[in-house]
Amino acid sequence: MSIAVSVTNRTAARLPLSRARIAGLAEGVLRAERVREALVSVTLISPRAIAALNHRHLGHRGATDVLSFAFARAAGAPIIGDVYVAPDVARTNAKRIGIAAREELARLVVHGTLHVLGYDHPDGEERLASPMWRRQERLLARALGARR
């Protein structure tokens, strides 16, 4: 087996990154983390759809930008997980913090993939100093630097 990432766009919106680029970002995280076998799906969904998932699975109200789910794994079994990203929420966040929507969408794909791998962070502002956030930003810089 190897690494397989599928990307599905369930939004009507035009994406700031191609599906191939999104898959490449997730694959890059998996390879950087030395994962040899993985099946990961990245699904781009509406704010309404991600709000429903957020409420159903986490008990939180409202839309969030990214949610990840990893399947329990036996020793030696491939990593299997799902990442859900709301591009419209990413655009809003990008505008608020003054960056390009494509950078924020890329950040969310990296972030969600790290969660599938078991990384976690505290809530609130402390997350910005967490080991996961630092790893995410290093991987993102590497991925975006490769495109420039």
Side-chain angles (χ1 to χ4, degrees):
M1 184 178 238
S2 60
I3 294 174
V5 177
S6 69
V7 178
T8 304
N9 183 7
R10 291 192 179 158
T11 71
R14 182 165 154 71
L15 300 174
L17 294 173
S18 70
R19 288 180 23 209
R21 180 71 175 128
I22 291 168
L25 286 162
E27 289 171 13
V29 171
L30 295 167
R31 290 186 199 294
E33 293 299 309
R34 294 183 163 80
V35 172
R36 293 178 155 218
E37 297 184 74
L39 298 169
V40 175
S41 72
V42 178
T43 306
L44 305 152
I45 59 177
S46 70
R48 185 177 186 170
I50 207 163
L53 286 174
N54 198 21
H55 186 261
R56 183 178 319 127
H57 294 283
L58 299 178
H60 300 154
R61 291 200 172 279
T64 188
D65 46 14
V66 62
L67 289 171
S68 298
F69 302 94
F71 290 87
R73 176 175 177 225
I79 290 170
I80 301 174
D82 298 318
V83 177
Y84 294 89
V85 179
D88 289 341
V89 177
R91 275 188 197 88
T92 300
N93 291 345
K95 215 177 272 187
R96 181 177 43 79
I97 59 178
I99 62 171
R102 70 182 164 277
E103 179 181 338
E104 184 64 3
L105 182 57
R107 177 175 284 106
L108 296 175
V109 171
V110 171
H111 187 91
T113 305
L114 286 171
H115 272 308
V116 165
L117 294 175
Y119 280 83
D120 206 0
H121 56 79
D123 291 332
E125 292 302 310
E126 300 97 39
R127 81 181 187 283
L128 300 176
S130 71
M132 177 185 172
W133 194 271
R134 289 192 308 269
R135 182 67 176 145
Q136 164 194 297
E137 293 303 302
R138 279 193 304 274
L139 291 169
L140 182 65
R142 186 185 308 163
L144 294 179
R147 291 284 292 175
R148 290 182 184 152

